[in-house]
Amino acid sequence: MAAFCRRPVGRVISVFLLNSFIFFSVSFAQELRQQNTSVRALGMGNAYVALVRDADALFYNPAGLAETSGFNWTIADPKVGISGLEAYGKVQDLQESSSFASTLRELYGEKVYATAGAKTALTTPFFAAAFYDSLNTSLAINNPAVTEIDATIINDLGYALGFGYSIVPGLQMGMVFKRISRTGNVTTL
């Protein structure tokens, strides 16, 4: 009796291990920034999940695609951002050799960043597709004694396909498939 109980468990483990080796793939993980934040969502403190009813549902809540209506095409949705004009001026001062050391001291502990990107999206009832590109750069000065400069340049290029449908009135379900290709580098100088 005891041997009979162990056999199914052994089979399950064997099938699991065999499938693990057959369908094995190498994966690498990196920090992902939130892709394609919308101005409306940021204005609401990113509490946008329950309200999204457009192409932004691909990035916030795909179930919102169940309530899209009509055919909509966002031809271009650009975004640009910097950490502030004062920080931008300090980075421009780095190009002058006479003020390089003093500018580094002023930037100590301050992260300067710039971002740019755009997306195009197509929505129909219950379905959406988007293609986007996002470039993020940053510069941080960390150690005042022996100056360390962390420079980051990362570009995310990707697409998203999603659908949503209504199960019962007031209850929707959705799914998104995303493909992101990340290029760039993080360097300490």
Side-chain angles (χ1 to χ4, degrees):
M1 181 86 170
F4 179 76
C5 292
R6 289 185 191 163
R7 269 191 141 170
V9 174
R11 284 184 188 163
V12 170
I13 292 172
S14 298
V15 169
F16 175 76
L17 290 175
L18 183 62
N19 284 333
S20 297
F21 290 116
I22 291 173
F23 299 109
F24 178 80
S25 68
V26 177
S27 299
F28 299 99
Q30 291 184 5
E31 170 194 8
L32 285 178
R33 294 173 177 82
Q34 186 171 0
Q35 299 296 320
N36 294 301
T37 54
S38 77
V39 173
R40 182 175 179 201
L42 291 174
M44 296 174 63
N46 257 350
Y48 193 51
V49 173
L51 300 176
V52 65
R53 306 279 185 270
D54 56 11
D56 288 331
L58 290 169
F59 305 101
Y60 287 95
N61 181 8
L65 294 172
E67 295 187 10
T68 59
S69 61
F71 176 82
N72 298 303
W73 182 22
T74 305
I75 296 171
D77 187 6
K79 69 172 184 173
V80 176
I82 58 173
S83 57
L85 292 177
E86 182 178 310
Y88 177 73
K90 289 178 184 177
V91 171
Q92 289 295 328
D93 290 343
L94 284 174
Q95 296 176 358
E96 298 176 21
S97 61
S98 62
S99 64
F100 186 78
S102 63
T103 303
L104 282 180
R105 280 191 295 278
E106 290 176 22
L107 284 172
Y108 171 68
E110 187 173 344
K111 186 172 184 177
V112 180
Y113 70 89
T115 184
K119 79 174 176 190
T120 184
L122 178 69
T123 59
T124 63
F126 311 108
F127 177 77
F131 178 77
Y132 58 92
D133 190 6
S134 179
L135 175 68
N136 297 293
T137 61
S138 66
L139 180 72
I141 313 298
N142 293 325
N143 189 347
V146 179
T147 305
E148 289 181 357
I149 302 172
D150 289 337
T152 304
I153 299 175
I154 295 175
N155 187 50
D156 292 330
L157 181 69
Y159 61 86
L161 303 169
F163 65 91
Y165 58 93
S166 185
I167 298 171
V168 295
L171 180 63
Q172 293 86 20
M173 184 173 187
M175 186 176 289
V176 173
F177 302 97
K178 295 180 185 176
R179 171 73 172 118
I180 302 170
S181 175
R182 175 170 277 187
T183 57
N185 199 2
V186 177
T187 305
T188 300
L189 307 172

